Amino acid sequence: MRRNMQEVLERWGRWAASEEYCSLVDWPAMSVTPGRKPEAGKPGCSDEDGLAIDTCVAHMSTVRHAEDILILGQRFIGGRTTRFIAEAMDIPRFNVTRSLRSSEEFLEGCLVAMAVRLDMDPIVVLPEPLADVQKPMLIF
């Protein structure tokens, strides 16, 4: 099952920004503060989903560079753009997007390995591609 991890992390970021002591990662020590106010009409995630994703992020913090965790927090909790993060950290924007992509893949793999079913799955699950379906061939 493939999930739209950007949507999952956006919802987790809104949840993490609205909760006080939600995270297993010490974001304030990493200078990640919410740069956005909770947006009306845009849903966060449930506490169970938030804690499951937070557990994966905490696991990621033990195996990845602190810079990758900081970029993840700035983007999804802080609500910063990739351009803003790149300029603030004085690194190329390509490195920021590459770090975000690899973080998304790591977190998706972690959720799959732990066999976590999220409450938001009906909304964020991507349709499975059809396998072994041949396209019709026109013969003239």
Side-chain angles (χ1 to χ4, degrees):
M1 168 176 41
R2 296 209 21 109
R3 296 177 175 104
N4 180 351
M5 284 307 291
Q6 287 184 349
E7 178 68 23
V8 169
L9 291 173
E10 283 286 338
R11 287 169 173 255
W12 167 77
R14 286 192 288 272
W15 173 82
S18 67
E19 298 288 321
E20 279 194 38
Y21 301 105
C22 64
S23 185
L24 301 172
V25 177
D26 190 11
W27 296 111
M30 298 181 83
S31 301
V32 175
T33 55
R36 61 181 172 191
K37 295 175 176 61
E39 302 165 29
K42 291 205 173 187
C45 62
S46 67
D47 287 340
E48 292 81 17
D49 288 357
L51 289 173
I53 297 166
D54 222 35
T55 301
C56 292
V57 172
H59 179 66
M60 188 173 97
S61 69
T62 63
V63 294
R64 299 288 300 269
H65 296 288
E67 183 178 84
D68 293 332
I69 306 300
L70 181 60
I71 290 171
L72 183 75
Q74 288 283 341
R75 174 67 186 98
F76 293 108
I77 295 175
R80 309 288 198 282
T81 63
T82 55
R83 180 175 298 201
F84 179 88
I85 296 168
E87 290 172 0
M89 295 179 74
D90 197 29
I91 57 176
R93 187 173 176 205
F94 173 75
N95 291 359
V96 173
T97 56
R98 185 175 53 190
S99 171
L100 286 171
R101 191 175 328 117
S102 66
S103 296
E104 290 168 9
E105 291 168 357
F106 180 92
L107 293 172
E108 183 176 14
C110 188
L111 290 170
V112 168
M114 292 182 358
V116 174
R117 309 256 337 143
L118 300 175
D119 294 338
M120 64 177 116
D121 275 347
I123 300 166
V124 298
V125 170
L126 297 173
E128 293 290 329
L130 299 175
D132 298 331
V133 174
Q134 293 183 350
K135 295 181 180 177
M137 185 178 355
L138 297 173
I139 299 176
F140 294 99

